[in-house]
Amino acid sequence: MKIIFTFLLLVPLFVKAQTEAAPEVLIQNIFSLAQKENPLNNPKTKSELDSHFDFKQMSMNILGSEANKRSAADLKWFEDSIKEIITKTVYPKAPEFLQGVKITYKSTLVDGNKATVPSTVAKKGEKTDVSYQLIKSGSNWKVIDVSIDDESWVKTINDKMTKTLKEKGWVGVKDMINKRVKALNEKKKS
């Protein structure tokens, strides 16, 4: 009876530890999936990888206050375009990049439904700090931004979008993004 009571006391601690480790486990799973082959060549792998990202939230973060000025159709187009740009840019390079890489995780920071997984990626003697920002979506963690040596995907895309928005308006943003998607699609064909 004493053993059962002790076990019941420890279960909440174990569950809490598992929950806190979940963001880091998600990142490890992403790397495990991405290093095997180009995910674009395997629809199942691509779908599983995509499920670990919240492209809608990422897009809203990129748009910032601009999101309030856009129609539902524009927001969906933007989300789909950002997803296509990221997956067609990052996924094909992942297997080669992850070959021979040593990843060291630092303490995961969890604050409610937000988490940051800081890491150092070492390859051929070079070290790069990579940090992943996640949010909890239901019971799952999802990546909403990646920062490499303090350069955030969201901020970089937002900066380009904001500059184009000021110079050419929303039509200019759509044109810029459509050209990028078209170039990526043409690159894939060759």
Side-chain angles (χ1 to χ4, degrees):
M1 185 67 156
K2 197 174 191 182
I3 293 173
I4 293 172
F5 183 70
T6 304
F7 175 76
L8 290 174
L9 285 175
L10 293 176
V11 167
L13 295 175
F14 176 76
V15 170
K16 184 175 186 221
Q18 291 290 62
T19 303
E20 289 175 358
E24 185 176 311
V25 171
L26 174 83
I27 301 305
Q28 292 169 344
N29 189 36
I30 288 171
F31 284 140
S32 176
L33 288 166
Q35 70 186 4
K36 296 175 185 171
E37 64 179 320
N38 177 348
L40 296 181
N41 296 334
N42 184 328
K44 184 179 175 192
T45 302
K46 182 185 181 304
S47 178
E48 191 171 347
L49 268 175
D50 289 352
S51 74
H52 293 318
F53 291 85
D54 187 335
F55 289 105
K56 182 175 185 171
Q57 186 61 55
M58 188 183 294
S59 298
M60 295 302 282
N61 292 349
I62 291 167
L63 285 169
S65 62
E66 187 64 27
N68 298 328
K69 301 173 189 174
R70 300 294 140 218
S71 68
D74 276 344
L75 294 175
K76 181 66 175 143
W77 164 83
F78 191 79
E79 175 189 343
D80 291 345
S81 298
I82 292 302
K83 178 180 178 181
E84 190 169 2
I85 289 169
I86 289 173
T87 59
K88 288 185 176 175
T89 302
V90 176
Y91 288 7
K93 296 176 183 177
E96 183 182 339
F97 173 78
L98 291 171
Q99 216 170 32
V101 165
K102 182 178 184 239
I103 302 166
T104 307
Y105 296 96
K106 300 170 187 168
S107 295
T108 299
L109 309 168
V110 179
D111 183 13
N113 71 339
K114 295 180 181 180
T116 301
V117 179
S119 70
T120 301
V121 176
K123 184 172 182 172
K124 297 180 183 175
E126 291 184 35
K127 290 184 178 183
T128 305
D129 290 324
V130 183
S131 181
Y132 309 87
Q133 284 68 48
L134 298 90
I135 61 166
K136 200 162 201 173
S137 179
S139 61
N140 299 315
W141 289 100
K142 295 192 181 256
V143 175
I144 58 169
D145 196 8
V146 178
S147 297
I148 301 169
D149 285 336
D150 293 326
E151 287 191 34
S152 151
W153 285 359
V154 167
K155 183 166 178 4
T156 299
I157 298 169
N158 173 273
D159 289 349
K160 288 179 183 176
M161 185 206 67
T162 301
K163 182 177 186 256
T164 303
L165 196 59
K166 285 180 184 175
E167 293 172 0
K168 301 177 183 176
W170 184 248
V171 171
V173 169
K174 289 182 90 168
D175 185 50
M176 174 186 73
I177 290 174
N178 286 332
K179 283 180 182 174
R180 179 69 176 133
V181 169
K182 183 179 178 185
L184 286 167
N185 287 329
E186 288 173 358
K187 183 178 179 183
K188 186 180 178 192
K189 291 177 187 174
S190 53

